[in-house]
Amino acid sequence: MLDTFGREVRMLRLAVTEACDLRCEYCMPQNGLPNEAMPMSGNELVAIAEAASKCGINKIRLTGGEPLLRPDIVDICRRLSHIEGIRTLCLTTNGTRLQALAGQLYAAGVKRVNLSLDSLNPERYARLTRCGNLADVLAGLEAAMAAGFERVKVNCVLIGGINDDEIADFVELTRHKPLEVRFIELMPMGECAAWPKKRFISAETVLERCPELTPIPGEGVAQRCRLPNAVGTVGLIRPMSRAFCGDCDRIRVTADGKLKPCLHSVEELDLRGLRGQALVRRMAEGIGDKPVSHHLNDTGTDTERRMSQIGG
Ligand code: SAM
Ligand code: SF4
């Protein structure tokens, strides 16, 4: 379905919980969210995905919070992957439980996995996540690569003065591993909204630090490149330095069932309690309502929600 600016909306990012077992400094308060919303049930998620497919959406990415904390996550994936019209089911995870679940998720129809990882140094990783164990996540990454997924990506949020000295190490991962490392520009919202300017660095830094990276032509929100003869690729996601709103093909649904036409807008349409045609109509309304762009660089984000509630 086309939005009012002629963009074809094809993707739904569906948050399945606000809960998380990590406390990444830029995303979560130290003690977690003060009032975690009651997540949607499996049946509610399936109804939303069915309505989305009737609006022309063919790709769903499950996110959160941490989606793998849900005890019914494998069952949810199995049900969503069988919905007519949903061609690609993907998942974004912090990876802490991926070693145990990768095979089951693949068997349940998940095609692609993105794993978030902001440091390859165990002490720094523990500090940044306030409790994470790097070894668990690296084991999860290996399990994902062995499970058979069509694509595995590592998402690394660039934080100036904190992890930018690891850019070359992350890029090096792509030399021999069949994965894409994606560097994401930190967006000032929630926990990091008031962080000093020096923390917000442009993804251009990656190209400056690794001049041997050469561009690969392609579409989508990421600018992609590769090391000479490397097996994997590098992606740059630049919401701050190169807004990609003109190519935006997605809507989001929060863990408490609010459709967000744009990550940064205040507009939310409540989907909870709706079924059948009423749900399809509300979803179509949300797609039509997508704003032309965010204005992060001028007035900042408009949403009061945290990333862990929206799902990134
Ligand atoms: N817990 C899962 C994970 O970490 O992959 C899924 C949810 S998390 C909110 C989704 C993505 O949003 C992660 O890759 C995280 O690094 C990213 N993220 C969170 N806050 C961000 C911010 N302020 N700017 C840019 N990316 C952010
Ligand atoms: Fe949890 Fe993901 Fe936020 Fe980290 S980025 S605190 S793993 S929701």
Side-chain angles (χ1 to χ4, degrees), residues 13 20 26-27 63-67 92-94 116 118 155 157 184-187 189 192 307-308 311-312:
R13 289 186 70 106
C20 189
Y26 55 82
C27 178
T63 174
E66 176 45 41
T92 295
T93 172
N94 63 25
S116 303
D118 302 327
N155 284 349
V157 173
I184 302 174
E185 290 174 349
L186 181 66
M187 292 179 271
M189 56 192 297
C192 64
M307 270 305 218
S308 58

Side-chain angles (χ1 to χ4, degrees), residues 22-92:
L22 298 184
R23 297 283 180 268
C24 301
E25 287 181 329
Y26 55 82
C27 178
M28 270 276 185
Q30 179 136 26
N31 298 319
L33 292 179
N35 297 306
E36 251 170 43
M38 165 86 92
M40 285 182 286
S41 67
N43 287 344
E44 286 178 297
L45 294 168
V46 170
I48 286 174
E50 283 172 346
S53 118
K54 293 197 171 100
C55 293
I57 280 169
N58 60 19
K59 180 172 170 185
I60 294 181
R61 175 170 294 282
L62 301 182
T63 174
E66 176 45 41
L68 301 192
L69 288 190
R70 275 191 76 129
D72 55 352
I73 190 66
V74 174
D75 185 52
I76 290 171
C77 290
R78 190 175 301 111
R79 293 176 69 189
L80 298 189
S81 69
H82 282 99
I83 293 174
E84 198 184 329
I86 301 303
R87 280 199 227 131
T88 315
L89 180 65
C90 323
L91 190 133
T92 295

Side-chain angles (χ1 to χ4, degrees), residues 192-200:
C192 64
W195 279 14
K197 278 207 159 53
K198 64 182 180 193
R199 298 282 179 249
F200 298 86

Side-chain angles (χ1 to χ4, degrees), residues 2 25 31 66 93 100 131 133 162 179 193-194 211 215 220 237 246 253 263 265:
L2 296 181
E25 287 181 329
N31 298 319
E66 176 45 41
T93 172
C131 55
N133 177 8
I162 303 287
L179 48 79
I237 312 268
V253 174
L263 168 60
S265 78

